[in-house]
Amino acid sequence: MDPFIALADPVRRDLLRALAPGPARVVDLAARHPISRPAVSKHLRVLTEAGLVTVEDRGRERHYALARPGLAPVRALLDELAGRRPPIPESAFDALDLEVRRTVHDRRADAGPGTGRSQEESA
């Protein structure tokens, strides 16, 4: 399920807010709303299918937790709309490091052995 569809409902947004500080039991989440526990469970299932919530069975209880990586598409859209550029990916720094090393190596090779100066400096 699309995280944007899951976020369209105000009850589901409130459930995410309730899970932001940490995991919670379905009974505790249901106590915050004027709807039935089965209705809250259905909302949690939608959030789980959207990748926004994880669930862990502990004995007879189900504990739900916010899945922060599931919010990445939402954050990306908000950043795009706000005109923010995404951070530079680590791979770009790796490529830059490789290019710097290659340039240093090429310059040392062009300088020739034992001269300590490049060919351009000696000309």
Side-chain angles (χ1 to χ4, degrees):
M1 168 166 290
D2 187 330
F4 295 99
I5 293 171
L7 290 171
D9 188 279
V11 171
R12 291 193 286 263
R13 290 193 305 268
D14 190 59
L15 288 169
L16 291 175
R17 284 185 197 99
L19 293 171
R25 301 176 307 161
V26 67
V27 67
D28 297 326
L29 294 168
R32 297 172 45 113
H33 294 90
I35 58 177
S36 68
R37 192 165 76 181
V40 170
S41 292
K42 286 181 182 180
H43 283 294
L44 289 167
R45 185 174 54 243
V46 170
L47 291 169
T48 302
E49 290 171 1
L52 299 172
V53 168
T54 60
V55 61
E56 180 183 345
D57 289 327
R58 296 183 192 167
R60 296 184 344 179
E61 295 180 335
R62 301 196 90 188
H63 291 251
Y64 291 86
L66 180 63
R68 294 182 196 284
L71 295 171
V74 177
R75 170 59 55 207
L77 176 65
L78 294 174
D79 286 346
E80 178 185 332
L81 295 174
R84 293 185 210 129
R85 295 181 179 247
I88 299 172
E90 195 66 32
S91 61
F93 289 114
D94 293 340
L96 179 61
D97 182 57
L98 177 65
E99 188 60 33
V100 168
R101 290 174 188 267
R102 183 179 302 141
T103 301
V104 168
H105 178 267
D106 290 349
R107 285 188 179 167
R108 286 182 182 158
D110 288 345
T115 63
R117 297 186 316 173
S118 71
Q119 291 174 355
E120 292 173 358
E121 291 177 300
S122 60

